[in-house]
Amino acid sequence: MKMGENDAAKNHFASQVFSVSVDVPSQGGGSKWFDDDGRLKRTGTVWTASAHIITAVIGSGVLSLAWAVAQLGWIAGPAVMFLFSFVTYYTSTLLSACYRTGDPVNGKRNYTYTDAVRSNLGGGMVKICGYVQYLNLFGVAIGYTIASSISMMAVKRSNCFHKTGGKDPCHMNANPYMIAFGIVEIIFSQIPDFEKLWWLSIVAAVMSFTYSTIGLGLGISKVAEAGKFQGSLTGISIGTSVTETQKIWRSFQALGDIAFAYSYSLILIEIQDTIKSPPSEAKTMKKATLISVSVTTLFYMLCGCFGYAAFGDMSPGNLLTGFGFYNPYWLIDIANVAIVVHLVGAYQVYCQPLFAFIEKAAAQRFPDSNFVTKDIKLPLPGSRSYNLNLFRLVFRTIFVIITTVMSMLLPFFNDIVGLLGALGFWPLTVYFPVEMYIAQKKIPKWSTRWVCLQILSAACLIITIAAAAGSIAGVVGDLKTVKPFKTSY
């Protein structure tokens, strides 16, 4: 993006945007209807929080895990997945402890990830975190648009293959499907906030289990049919399938794919802000994180490993749309429809923090503007009236249109997934949670715990750099063969 402003103007904008405060005056303790911060009583539980996390975590990333395991092999593949699950769980518990500043039960609430960074680290860290978080959320929206269009086309192609007996290659353009997904997201993006999203999260979580289970079942049946496990201890073979250089880059990209599959820390604080208390929100969030990461790791291990066992070196980049499976075609269709429904919900779960941030910034900047702050009540038959906000309508619609256009420009599912995973993993999942926890708990410099946390952070930084390099190499390769707006499968 080209920026025409001078440095002073940019610094002023950044200071205005990232200093947005979302505090609500306290009403002097909780009551029957209000929490201790004056907001309406939060109603979230360990199960709704788990549903939000599972919706965010078991996304399109699960479909690339068989390909990722194929690059790494039977030893490194499962080991790396377990390592990422442990790091994600551990750093998420550190991050959940930062929801309240000071006292874990009665301390000041931090409503967003950026608020937590402001309270614990302050200064320039807030700007850096804001840029990284919202850029990552923007990227996830693009990745999900690409993934949904591929699944929609997979439904049409599987039926085409079935009718023609595989004689017709059934090529089609991706753009109409991306536009259709964008139109649906414009409608759903008018849901005001996380609190109103709980039902969409539960539907999306059910869908994620549906297609993951189908992918797992098909992998198991293919292994049973062949009577043996495909693959090798070291992954895809050098010479027969890839060159030595390609093997290195693809192994690095696999790290990014696995990191993306576990990425949800950037919305953890927002999910935690929906939880009721007592018990303390941190305690409930730790339980929800343990449940969610355990369930998703089990699914990931099964889907990734059985996918690799079924196809070996030929494992497709997207397990259910790479046409490793052709039959039963109706089951493939159900799985891909479930993916699309899930991605509709996951897109909203990920974008809500970005929407809320921009809208609060605008309301604070233009408090007297009716366009920004005024709600228009629209009566809905059989329900309460809907509050239509014109700024929300215009801004969210433009946002969805931009992500849809970007998806048409960069329709590379595997490489985009790997790049997003790499860019978001270290700063948002590891670095900021570790630094905030050190500041919150006042852990002394050079103490054993401080050194261990810094070693963890440094190791994850190295993994992130490697994953980003592999994914960028993949994108460069894709750009040589794919023309923007003319993508066909």
Side-chain angles (χ1 to χ4, degrees), residues 182-265:
I183 291 169
V184 171
E185 290 303 341
I186 286 173
I187 295 167
F188 277 107
S189 68
Q190 296 309 309
I191 297 173
D193 52 40
F194 255 130
E195 282 287 343
K196 306 292 189 299
L197 267 181
W198 64 269
W199 63 272
L200 190 58
S201 275
I202 289 172
V203 169
V206 170
M207 292 297 106
S208 67
F209 277 120
T210 300
Y211 68 71
S212 298
T213 304
I214 290 173
L216 172 60
L218 290 170
I220 292 171
S221 67
K222 195 166 180 70
V223 170
E225 187 182 320
K228 64 175 183 176
F229 276 46
Q230 302 272 5
S232 66
L233 295 179
T234 55
I236 195 164
S237 308
I238 296 173
T240 56
S241 303
V242 293
T243 65
E244 195 170 338
T245 305
Q246 286 175 323
K247 166 82 172 176
I248 293 168
W249 288 128
R250 287 169 68 154
S251 296
F252 287 165
Q253 188 186 328
L255 297 177
D257 283 9
I258 296 171
F260 178 80
Y262 277 104
S263 141
Y264 79 97
S265 295

Side-chain angles (χ1 to χ4, degrees), residues 127-164:
K127 297 177 189 176
I128 295 168
C129 172
Y131 284 127
V132 172
Q133 184 187 11
Y134 298 125
L135 180 64
N136 201 265
L137 290 171
F138 180 72
V140 167
I142 294 170
Y144 281 2
T145 304
I146 295 168
S148 67
S149 70
I150 293 172
S151 287
M152 285 187 265
M153 286 189 293
V155 173
K156 192 167 182 181
R157 288 185 73 199
S158 73
N159 285 278
C160 173
F161 284 141
H162 181 71
K163 285 177 184 174
T164 63

Side-chain angles (χ1 to χ4, degrees), residues 267-319:
I267 57 169
L268 183 143
I269 295 288
E270 284 83 350
I271 292 173
Q272 194 167 345
D273 191 44
T274 67
I275 295 172
K276 65 183 178 183
S277 61
S280 73
E281 298 86 359
K283 192 176 285 187
T284 303
M285 197 63 187
K286 283 176 185 175
K287 285 183 187 174
T289 300
L290 180 60
I291 292 167
S292 308
V293 173
S294 300
V295 168
T296 52
T297 299
L298 177 63
F299 260 77
Y300 284 179
M301 287 286 188
L302 291 171
C303 288
C305 292
F306 271 102
Y308 181 42
F311 298 109
D313 287 358
M314 302 305 293
S315 296
N318 186 321
L319 191 60

Side-chain angles (χ1 to χ4, degrees), residues 214-419:
I214 290 173
L216 172 60
L218 290 170
I220 292 171
S221 67
K222 195 166 180 70
V223 170
E225 187 182 320
K228 64 175 183 176
F229 276 46
Q230 302 272 5
S232 66
L233 295 179
T234 55
I236 195 164
S237 308
I238 296 173
T240 56
S241 303
V242 293
T243 65
E244 195 170 338
T245 305
Q246 286 175 323
K247 166 82 172 176
I248 293 168
W249 288 128
R250 287 169 68 154
S251 296
F252 287 165
Q253 188 186 328
L255 297 177
D257 283 9
I258 296 171
F260 178 80
Y262 277 104
S263 141
Y264 79 97
S265 295
L266 69 173
I267 57 169
L268 183 143
I269 295 288
E270 284 83 350
I271 292 173
Q272 194 167 345
D273 191 44
T274 67
I275 295 172
K276 65 183 178 183
S277 61
S280 73
E281 298 86 359
K283 192 176 285 187
T284 303
M285 197 63 187
K286 283 176 185 175
K287 285 183 187 174
T289 300
L290 180 60
I291 292 167
S292 308
V293 173
S294 300
V295 168
T296 52
T297 299
L298 177 63
F299 260 77
Y300 284 179
M301 287 286 188
L302 291 171
C303 288
C305 292
F306 271 102
Y308 181 42
F311 298 109
D313 287 358
M314 302 305 293
S315 296
N318 186 321
L319 191 60
L320 290 171
T321 62
F323 287 92
F325 302 114
Y326 291 94
N327 285 302
Y329 79 99
W330 55 269
L331 192 60
I332 307 296
D333 289 353
I334 290 172
N336 279 296
V337 168
I339 290 171
V340 175
V341 174
H342 172 261
L343 291 175
V344 168
Y347 185 106
Q348 292 304 319
V349 168
Y350 267 99
C351 290
Q352 280 297 333
L354 177 56
F355 292 160
F357 165 71
I358 295 293
E359 286 156 18
K360 282 172 181 135
Q364 195 169 55
R365 191 78 181 270
F366 307 103
D368 301 323
S369 169
N370 286 337
F371 175 73
V372 174
T373 59
K374 188 176 179 182
D375 287 342
I376 302 168
K377 288 194 178 295
L378 297 178
L380 295 176
S383 179
R384 285 185 287 180
S385 60
Y386 172 76
N387 292 328
L388 175 68
N389 180 281
L390 291 177
F391 178 77
R392 182 172 68 220
L393 176 66
V394 173
F395 159 65
R396 296 190 183 189
T397 300
I398 291 172
F399 175 87
V400 174
I401 290 170
I402 291 172
T403 57
T404 304
V405 171
M406 291 292 290
S407 302
M408 295 178 193
L409 280 168
L410 302 167
F412 326 125
F413 174 73
N414 247 45
D415 298 322
I416 293 296
V417 160
L419 188 57

Side-chain angles (χ1 to χ4, degrees), residues 431-446:
Y431 176 74
F432 282 114
V434 164
E435 292 301 316
M436 285 192 286
Y437 185 77
I438 288 171
Q440 174 104 316
K441 300 298 182 184
K442 296 181 173 59
I443 297 172
K445 212 173 210 183
W446 304 112

